[in-house]
């Protein structure tokens, strides 16, 4: 099948499919005319990649997962280790986002939102001290702890 058919069946745009081929995640055959010729196995591989990417796996993690998928001698512990590492990364990101939300919520709550020019949000963005979050840290302290995690 051509790239358009593979794209339609896999739910991925042709540009993404070409990219996966370029980086070696997919190796479609070639028809006599030189055009890419995708098999149902290629489409299955593309769907595997799409689902993996939708779960947040990086291209390199997808490469590892595809390698394990194709290895009938694999140990499920290897697959689990990759998934557990991703889960830990997601948990860290969620924690960072919760902290960011609390700092921003605090700034919004302390902004009068009236006709006066005084605004702790602008002060904070400009590098001023702003006000302290509920846990007693300054907004800068909270941000520094967040920035060090990025």
């Amino acid at each position: 099948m051509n790239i358009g058919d593979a794209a339609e069946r896999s739910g991925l745009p042709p540009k993404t499919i070409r990219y996966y081929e370029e980086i070696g995640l997919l190796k479609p055959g070639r028809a006599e005319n030189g055009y890419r010729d995708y098999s149902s196995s290629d489409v299955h591989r593309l769907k595997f990649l799409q689902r993996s990417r939708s779960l947040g796996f990086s291209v390199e993690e997808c490469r590892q997962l595809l390698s394990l998928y194709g290895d009938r001698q694999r140990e499920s512990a290897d697959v689990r280790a990759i998934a557990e590492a991703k889960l830990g990364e997601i948990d860290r990101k969620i924690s960072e986002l919760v902290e960011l939300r609390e700092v921003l919520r605090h700034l919004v709550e302390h902004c009068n939102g009236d006709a006066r020019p005084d605004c702790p949000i602008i002060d904070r963005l400009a590098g001023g001290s702003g006000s302290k979050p509920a846990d007693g840290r300054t907004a800068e302290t909270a941000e520094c702890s967040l920035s060090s995690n990025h």
Side-chain angles (χ1 to χ4, degrees):
M1 78 187 79
N2 66 28
I3 195 166
D5 292 336
E8 186 177 320
R9 291 181 184 182
S10 68
L12 292 170
K15 185 175 182 176
T16 300
I17 295 172
R18 285 188 202 97
Y19 172 69
Y20 287 161
E21 181 182 358
E22 182 182 312
I23 63 172
L25 290 176
L26 186 68
K27 294 181 177 100
R30 296 282 176 170
E32 288 181 21
N33 60 8
Y35 290 120
R36 292 171 181 89
D37 187 24
Y38 297 91
S39 66
S40 58
S41 176
D42 292 327
V43 171
H44 183 75
R45 196 173 174 93
L46 288 168
K47 288 179 179 180
F48 183 97
L49 287 166
Q50 180 192 41
R51 288 188 293 267
S52 299
R53 296 288 287 152
S54 73
L55 287 172
F57 289 104
S58 69
V59 168
E60 285 311 310
E61 290 163 336
C62 286
R63 188 180 308 281
Q64 292 174 310
L65 289 168
L66 275 171
S67 176
L68 290 167
Y69 174 70
D71 179 3
R72 288 312 201 192
Q73 303 301 315
R74 72 178 172 263
E75 295 182 12
S76 64
D78 295 334
V79 179
R80 182 181 174 136
I82 295 169
E84 283 179 335
K86 179 55 61 186
L87 188 58
E89 183 182 317
I90 290 169
D91 287 341
R92 282 187 297 280
K93 287 179 182 179
I94 289 170
S95 178
E96 290 172 9
L97 287 171
V98 167
E99 287 186 47
L100 284 171
R101 181 185 63 202
E102 292 308 311
V103 170
L104 188 54
R105 177 180 287 145
H106 176 77
L107 290 171
V108 167
E109 288 172 355
H110 287 83
C111 179
N112 291 323
D114 55 19
R116 295 180 300 170
D118 299 344
C119 178
I121 300 169
I122 290 293
D123 292 345
R124 177 72 176 84
L125 294 174
S129 62
S131 53
K132 292 185 179 181
D135 65 5
R137 296 182 299 172
T138 64
E140 286 79 14
T141 306
E143 181 184 278
C144 287
S145 68
L146 295 175
S147 297
S148 65
N149 293 330
H150 291 282

